[in-house]
Amino acid sequence: MALNILKTAKSIAKFVNNNKNTSIALIPTMGALHEGHAKLIKKAKKECSVVIVSIFLNPLQFTKVEDIEKYPQNIDEDKKMLIELGADILFMPSVEDMIPDDYGTYINMDNIYSKSYGITRPLYYKGVVTITAKLFNIISPTHVYFTEHDYQKVFIIGKMIKDLNYNIALKTIPIVRDDNMLALSSTNALLSEREKEEAVIIYELLKEAREEFKKASRKSSYLMDIIKNNLRPHKMLKLEYIDIVDKDSLISVETATKNSIILISCYCGSTRLLDNMPLK
């Protein structure tokens, strides 16, 4: 099947209706596709009959107009990647179709995510889960695919799937990293070469904290201080938040265990970088 580009909820709903009793994979994106997306598509093709990739630059995820305006977009390169990888459908709905002027229904999950991230980005996950739910309702996928780059997003969407009784299998792959171990993200395209070099320290410090944990250091505040203190000399990086939480609940823990994960967000220049590292 050649890549089919659909741009309205009605058109993709018609396609799905014509493909009943078929396993359908959904890979939701905001565009600027990279190797992480490529690996998701490859996994989805092995497991499902139809692979749908959505590209929707979701304004509900942004608190500032300038943030969404500078988000990297290269639809021609995205289409080329999807054709090469054999994706079946590219779904590109308009803002008017997804969020019309009279739109007023949102999904709140404020009590789920890590408090530190909720304080810094209070509207982000509300926007994520609302649009994800709309995609689920429009497409009715049997499987949905994410990398674990934004661990909290994956956790929250999993909770939404369970709470709202969606019959959808949530599939994930570990963080996909660049050669220098920087976690791949579409917004990495906004980094200068110097900023990319500086950003590598995030992974190195996460790894250092995990090594300390393996040496029997269990106090979360101590492990986080290792990262905070060693970030200070790196003036291009500004810590937004750091937390150690239980992987199965996202609740912050004072004593780290093998079921804990370190969550971190830093600004490198004006670009937000997310990363995480399980302590197991």
Side-chain angles (χ1 to χ4, degrees), residues 194 198 201 205 225-238:
R194 180 69 188 90
E198 188 75 352
I201 192 63
L205 293 179
D225 282 344
I226 291 173
I227 296 173
K228 291 177 184 178
N229 294 334
N230 286 292
L231 267 179
R232 289 194 182 101
H234 297 270
K235 302 303 181 183
M236 297 177 73
L237 296 173
K238 181 182 178 182

Side-chain angles (χ1 to χ4, degrees), residues 78-228:
D78 290 348
K79 290 177 182 177
K80 182 179 177 182
M81 175 189 284
L82 295 178
I83 291 169
E84 290 175 351
L85 293 171
D88 300 298
I89 301 291
L90 169 56
F91 180 45
M92 296 177 59
S94 66
V95 173
E96 291 74 22
D97 203 16
M98 296 295 284
I99 317 169
D101 290 340
D102 62 347
Y103 190 80
T105 303
Y106 301 88
I107 295 178
N108 264 322
M109 301 182 73
D110 294 347
N111 62 327
I112 303 297
Y113 50 72
S114 165
K115 290 181 179 178
S116 53
Y117 201 37
I119 292 170
T120 58
R121 302 185 74 189
L123 300 177
Y124 175 77
Y125 286 122
K126 180 179 178 181
V128 169
V129 296
T130 295
I131 292 302
T132 302
K134 288 203 67 166
L135 289 171
F136 288 172
N137 294 339
I138 293 166
I139 298 171
S140 300
T142 57
H143 300 68
V144 64
Y145 291 79
F146 295 98
T147 75
E148 294 177 353
H149 172 236
D150 186 341
Y151 184 84
Q152 294 188 83
K153 178 177 76 174
V154 174
F155 181 95
I156 290 169
I157 289 173
K159 186 73 165 63
M160 179 182 73
I161 288 172
K162 179 182 177 183
D163 288 354
L164 298 185
N165 298 104
Y166 283 114
N167 188 23
I168 300 172
L170 175 61
K171 299 284 189 169
T172 66
I173 62 173
I175 294 174
V176 181
R177 298 185 181 274
D178 210 340
D179 291 340
N180 63 3
M181 300 309 290
L182 179 63
L184 286 183
S185 170
S186 297
T187 53
N188 288 2
L190 302 174
L191 297 171
S192 68
E193 289 305 314
R194 180 69 188 90
E195 287 173 332
K196 288 179 182 178
E197 292 174 3
E198 188 75 352
V200 174
I201 192 63
I202 299 172
Y203 172 79
E204 295 298 331
L205 293 179
L206 285 171
K207 190 167 65 171
E208 183 177 340
R210 184 173 64 182
E211 291 304 312
E212 283 297 311
F213 170 81
K214 290 179 178 178
K215 295 176 184 176
S217 297
R218 297 290 184 264
K219 194 173 181 181
S220 293
S221 59
Y222 171 73
L223 297 173
M224 288 189 288
D225 282 344
I226 291 173
I227 296 173
K228 291 177 184 178

Side-chain angles (χ1 to χ4, degrees), residues 30 56-62 68 99 124 127-129 131-132:
M30 293 203 297
F56 179 64
L57 192 55
N58 180 10
L60 299 182
Q61 292 180 218
F62 296 86
I68 193 170
I99 317 169
Y124 175 77
V128 169
V129 296
I131 292 302
T132 302

